Amino acid sequence: MNRRAFLLAAGLAACGRAPSRRPNILFVMTDDQTVLEMSCYGRNTILKTPHMDRIAAEGARFDNCFVTNSLCAPSRATVLTGCYSHVHGIYGNSEKRDAIETLDPSLPTFPKLLREAGYRTGLMGKWHLPQNPAGFDDWRILPGQGVYFDPDFIVNGERRKVPGYATDITTDFALEFLSVHAAAPWCLVYQHKSPHRPFTPAPRHADLFGDVEVPYPETFNDDHGTRKVAAEAEDMQLDVSLAGDYPDLPPNLSREERKKWIYQRFVKDRYRNIVGVDENLGRVLGWLDDNGQTEDTVVIFTSDNGYFLGEYGWYDKRFMYEPSLRVPLVLRYPRLGFRGEIIERMVSNIDFAPTILDLAGLPVPETMQGRSLRPLLTGAPPADWRTSHYYAYYDNSWALHGLGKDAHADPNFAYLTPHRVGPHRGVRTSRYTLIHYYNDDYWELFDNESDPQQLRNVAGMPSYAAAETELKRELERLRDQYGDRG
Ligand SMILES: [Ca+2]
């Protein structure tokens, strides 16, 4: 930690209070963006995201941020409440199940608490929860997934069509909110639909990367050997499920050619989408600069879940494997003095709400299951910081088929979701990933040190028996810690 950060941290700890001026909060979230798709993570030679990178350069980049349940609606509920799905009530995507799943209205959320503390609160863009937003002075959301061009928005309860491209419109709304509430303190939840499928870029970006061949992931032609559930997840195959998205897909291609064609197209379209997000983020960061609010604004940029960008031949998310589990997270708050930090501690999307409240100088309610990231930012990580992460994905086929939760008792029912990913829970430590597909009582164990691509399931192997026993114990401990015994 540099001297300034140390003095600031020490001073704050001694006084037990936040800086005298409450910070503004800018919480930015994209939909399905991965760490590969933010250039500050150093793993992409094609896509450049200068404004996202700026947040990291002037703040901190988190290299091990994991989600609790890699799916849109559950993640969004987790971000708001700081809780796991079994606490907040959103287990799966909600558009077909709003009669069944409700975000527990009694739970505190960071926007509600900030608003009660005198903040002006705004929400712009993607929402994707079955209930209307609560705790916002001004909210303008896409209904459900929304569309990219001339989308309908629900503007403070009233639905209307708005001409233009969703990413631009979301930003126009964000800037309108800021110009009205600039007197501060304010909290703006600014959430993009992009780069979610159908990955449609703005026309001005449609030709970017035209001459480039995006490199193929090492596992592009994985045969899913040793991983039973992965082998059965046929709908995760990008050439199976995305083929119908492209009327201009040339006919008469071999399967290999077709898979490569779709891969190039969908990945480039995602990059084009992200260029649009980055450009628009630049407008908002520019507003902070122009209005003298950069120093006093906490900026958090993340994504609701990771994504398979051709790894294992897949698209989409859901599985607890690394590309889906891990999300980008960058955070800037100049008043705390950290700059260009890279943080490797294991953090989770249950930590976002506690962090926001803590940085705003507000108490974190006991319902929230995460912890403030502030001590990691100020170079003083607590000795008991987490060394394992708990994950829980819920198959939602029982709801899609109008059945009760006990439908899972039928072993033939496990893979009837649109993506055929069975429910599972697991634990990620610095070295291992243990996954339990509990309907089948099927286990996977990966040694992420010797097998970072997670191709070799070593569950049941004698040489890993001791590690497996310990990880199973840790999984049970985490279920107790988070109260997930339903
Ligand atoms: Ca998502």
Side-chain angles (χ1 to χ4, degrees), residues 118-329:
Y119 274 74
R120 303 315 300 261
T121 55
L123 163 67
M124 304 298 152
K126 181 87 179 270
W127 170 247
H128 204 188
L129 288 170
Q131 288 80 41
N132 276 344
F136 294 98
D137 294 301
D138 184 359
W139 54 275
R140 315 182 200 185
I141 59 168
L142 293 158
Q145 292 285 8
V147 297
Y148 280 108
F149 291 108
D150 301 334
D152 276 5
F153 265 80
I154 305 173
V155 178
N156 297 306
E158 218 168 282
R159 185 163 174 148
R160 63 180 167 90
K161 187 179 282 298
V162 185
Y165 181 63
T167 305
D168 301 332
I169 298 165
T170 299
T171 310
D172 294 342
F173 287 163
L175 293 171
E176 275 177 39
F177 171 85
L178 292 174
S179 66
V180 171
H181 299 291
W186 51 261
C187 167
L188 174 61
V189 177
Y190 165 54
Q191 302 190 143
H192 287 289
K193 166 181 175 57
S194 182
H196 194 279
R197 186 184 181 189
F199 323 117
T200 317
R204 65 185 182 277
H205 298 135
D207 296 327
L208 290 176
F209 315 115
D211 303 333
V212 175
E213 183 171 46
V214 180
Y216 296 92
E218 283 175 45
T219 60
F220 191 59
N221 292 313
D222 177 30
D223 65 0
H224 312 115
T226 79
R227 286 147 296 146
K228 169 173 129 51
V229 180
E232 290 171 357
E234 187 69 9
D235 288 10
M236 295 289 291
Q237 301 278 350
L238 64 93
D239 56 325
V240 170
S241 291
L242 294 182
D245 288 13
Y246 301 110
D248 52 339
L249 176 66
N252 306 320
L253 297 178
S254 68
R255 180 164 184 189
E256 188 189 346
E257 289 167 338
R258 194 175 61 153
K259 185 175 170 184
K260 285 181 156 182
W261 189 98
I262 295 170
Y263 171 79
Q264 292 295 330
R265 176 64 173 271
F266 104 84
V267 173
K268 284 183 193 176
D269 275 345
R270 287 175 59 96
Y271 289 3
R272 293 162 180 147
N273 263 268
I274 290 166
V275 168
V277 172
D278 194 68
E279 193 179 271
N280 275 282
L281 174 67
R283 295 170 64 200
V284 177
L285 296 181
W287 185 94
L288 296 177
D289 294 340
D290 295 344
N291 289 273
Q293 300 211 3
T294 298
E295 290 288 307
D296 287 307
T297 300
V298 175
V299 182
I300 299 175
F301 189 107
T302 189
S303 168
D304 63 342
N305 50 257
Y307 208 79
F308 297 104
L309 289 173
E311 294 94 342
Y312 316 119
W314 288 352
Y315 78 115
D316 211 67
K317 52 264 183 177
R318 301 164 198 271
F319 276 101
M320 196 193 162
Y321 302 144
E322 292 288 284
S324 155
L325 179 66
R326 186 186 303 275
V327 288
L329 173 66

